[in-house]
Amino acid sequence: TRDMFDRNRVRECPDLVRVVVAIDPSGTGGADDGGDSIGIVVAGKGADGRAYVLADYSCKVSPAVWGARAVAAYHRHGADRIVAERNYGGAMVGHVIRTVDPTVSYSEVVASRGKIIRAEPVAALYEQGRVSHLGALSDLEDQACLMTGEGYMGDGSPDRVDALVWALTELMLAPAMRRLAIG
């Protein structure tokens, strides 16, 4: 809810132990076609164990431009990794990123469950007050407020929210899931 964002908004964040750039690709060729935007969100995990959403670089541009934008965000924020959804675009996303900068740390995630089910654990982090936004991220927050238990109530794809979910899953949920799998 907007109240959750406002209540946990910060002007500064603590030292970050990990930063990721998450990408939710689309099939758009740029601003003039009917495709959805490419979600590009930067988030970090603080030394205090909380998540901090640092920036939203989502855009509707060609692959060369969004790839350069994601890599620039990686360097600007001192990120440890770029994480991108593989489902839409497959190997194209990795190719775009590697064409811009072959040295970035990059991994892919596969969406095996629906958007709402993937977003539920992240929504729980917000409900627990474990996520803060650095300043106002209006477009991302507007989109997030349109997510419901029945689905996304906005137009098109929740591209920004999808990228946010991948970033926070990588930072806050995946490490615990890996520990559980190891036993």
Side-chain angles (χ1 to χ4, degrees):
T1 64
R2 292 192 191 285
D3 181 56
M4 280 190 273
F5 296 133
D6 291 339
R7 189 173 55 242
N8 293 297
R9 192 174 317 282
V10 296
R11 292 185 188 274
E12 295 179 10
C13 55
D15 289 338
L16 299 173
V17 297
R18 186 146 193 257
V19 176
V20 297
V21 175
I23 303 172
D24 178 60
S26 78
T28 191
D32 297 331
D33 70 18
D36 293 314
S37 294
I38 296 85
I40 304 172
V41 171
V42 182
K45 184 173 184 177
D48 60 359
R50 295 173 40 77
Y52 295 87
V53 183
L54 307 174
D56 175 11
Y57 295 104
S58 300
C59 52
K60 187 174 179 192
V61 293
S62 69
V65 175
W66 66 252
R69 190 171 187 147
V71 170
Y74 173 90
H75 291 295
R76 182 178 303 120
H77 293 277
D80 303 291
R81 176 172 300 257
I82 294 177
V83 178
E85 182 178 315
R86 178 180 171 78
N87 294 54
Y88 197 88
M92 180 270 301
V93 179
H95 176 75
V96 168
I97 297 301
R98 295 282 187 227
T99 299
V100 175
D101 184 345
T103 68
V104 301
S105 176
Y106 173 80
S107 64
E108 297 174 339
V109 290
V110 176
S112 60
R113 301 182 313 171
K115 292 178 189 300
I116 299 304
I117 292 171
R118 288 194 314 268
E120 284 177 351
V122 171
L125 293 172
Y126 277 94
E127 290 166 353
Q128 296 162 11
R130 295 177 57 201
V131 181
S132 291
H133 288 192
L134 182 61
L137 300 168
S138 302
D139 292 337
L140 173 61
E141 293 168 7
D142 289 347
Q143 208 176 68
C145 288
L146 293 172
M147 296 291 287
T148 72
E150 280 77 51
Y152 179 59
M153 297 299 144
D155 294 328
S157 170
D159 36 56
R160 296 167 193 274
V161 173
D162 283 345
L164 171 73
V165 166
W166 289 124
L168 295 180
T169 297
E170 177 69 18
L171 291 169
M172 303 294 286
L173 303 169
M177 292 170 11
R178 284 191 286 272
R179 282 193 304 274
L180 290 173
I182 294 170

